[in-house]
Amino acid sequence: MANIISDETIEYVGILAKLELSDKEKEAAKKDMASMLNYIDKLNELDTTGVEPMSHVFPVQNVFREDVVVNGDDRENILKNAPGEKDGMFIVPKTVE
C-alpha cells in the first residue's frame, strides 16, 4: 500500500512538534514518514497467529525491593553532623531574605 503523506499532514506535525520546516525539510519529512509507514505495512503482513502480545522484548520482573527501614531512628548520630541543632532539628544559616 502506497503511503502518501500530504503537505497538510506535514504542516500539522510541524505545528505539534513546534518546528519551522523549510520546503526542503518538509519534502524530506514526507519521504521519511512514508518510508516508516511502508515499513509498518510490511510488518503487518507477518503472520502473528499464536504470538502473545508483549510490552517488552525481555521478560520484566518487579525490580523494586520492599520498603523496609534498616537504620531506624538514629537522630542523635545524624545531628552530630549538623552545623547547629535545636529541639532535635538542624539549624543552618538563613539563605533567603
Side-chain angles (χ1 to χ4, degrees), residues 1-2 8-9 14 17 22 38 47 54 56-57 65 80 82 90:
M1 178 178 163
E8 293 81 22
T9 302
S22 67
N38 287 334
D47 179 21
M54 59 183 169
H56 299 282
V57 177
R65 61 173 169 74
K80 287 180 185 175
F90 282 82

Side-chain angles (χ1 to χ4, degrees), residues 24-38:
K24 187 176 180 181
E25 291 170 325
K26 287 178 187 175
E27 286 303 315
K30 280 171 63 172
K31 288 178 186 173
D32 288 344
M33 289 178 90
S35 173
M36 287 184 252
L37 292 174
N38 287 334

Side-chain angles (χ1 to χ4, degrees), residues 5-64:
I5 308 298
S6 68
D7 291 333
E8 293 81 22
T9 302
I10 293 297
E11 286 287 332
Y12 183 65
V13 170
I15 290 168
L16 290 177
K18 298 184 187 231
L19 296 174
E20 290 184 27
L21 301 173
S22 67
D23 290 338
K24 187 176 180 181
E25 291 170 325
K26 287 178 187 175
E27 286 303 315
K30 280 171 63 172
K31 288 178 186 173
D32 288 344
M33 289 178 90
S35 173
M36 287 184 252
L37 292 174
N38 287 334
Y39 184 70
I40 290 170
D41 285 343
K42 189 165 194 82
L43 290 175
N44 284 333
E45 294 173 8
L46 294 172
D47 179 21
T48 56
T49 324
V51 177
E52 297 225 9
M54 59 183 169
S55 60
H56 299 282
V57 177
F58 300 106
V60 178
Q61 298 96 8
N62 185 0
V63 293
F64 297 110

